Amino acid sequence: CVLGICFIVMTILLQLPYEYIDYNPVPTIVFKGCLRTFHAFIIFLIFSFSGATNALVAFNKSRFSRLCGYYAIASMASSLAILLWALFIFCLSLQQILESSFYRPAHI
């Protein structure tokens, strides 16, 4: 399941529009201006992918296989937490932009 989620998220990330910050592409939809947050998200996504792959490669149900499965789930939870935090920051900035763009008449 974790392996499939990683593939889906990476496919979605490749389809998003990007902006370049210090010659690094960053998606403008959620991670606008947050280069380090995007890199942390990608790193945890890679960790969860590698943990899920290692858990599948270890055919027997050994401690290593279970440890890799737990590692994959923990990394996926961390990447989800980073994504939710980036969405929260994005929504706050969007709300500030919308509030500042509306005309509010002065009270007489």
Side-chain angles (χ1 to χ4, degrees):
C1 185
V2 172
L3 200 61
I5 291 172
C6 289
F7 277 123
I8 291 170
V9 169
M10 291 307 287
T11 304
I12 290 171
L13 282 177
L14 290 174
Q15 303 302 319
L16 295 177
Y18 284 88
E19 68 177 350
Y20 285 90
I21 301 173
D22 297 332
Y23 302 107
N24 294 311
V26 177
T28 56
I29 302 233
V30 177
F31 296 100
K32 183 170 180 65
C34 301
L35 178 66
R36 291 187 176 130
T37 307
F38 178 64
H39 284 173
F41 175 72
I42 292 296
I43 287 171
F44 277 115
L45 201 63
I46 290 170
F47 285 166
S48 64
F49 177 80
S50 66
T53 305
N54 286 334
L56 286 176
V57 169
F59 292 114
N60 56 357
K61 296 294 181 189
S62 63
R63 285 186 184 175
F64 177 74
S65 177
R66 281 185 276 139
L67 180 67
C68 287
Y70 296 146
Y71 177 73
I73 291 171
S75 297
M76 182 59 73
S78 298
S79 65
L80 181 64
I82 290 172
L83 179 65
L84 291 175
W85 183 70
L87 279 170
F88 177 71
I89 298 298
F90 179 72
C91 289
L92 284 180
S93 65
L94 189 64
Q95 181 183 9
Q96 289 175 353
I97 291 170
L98 290 176
E99 285 178 355
S100 65
S101 66
F102 288 121
Y103 172 72
R104 295 183 183 171
H107 294 287
I108 300 176

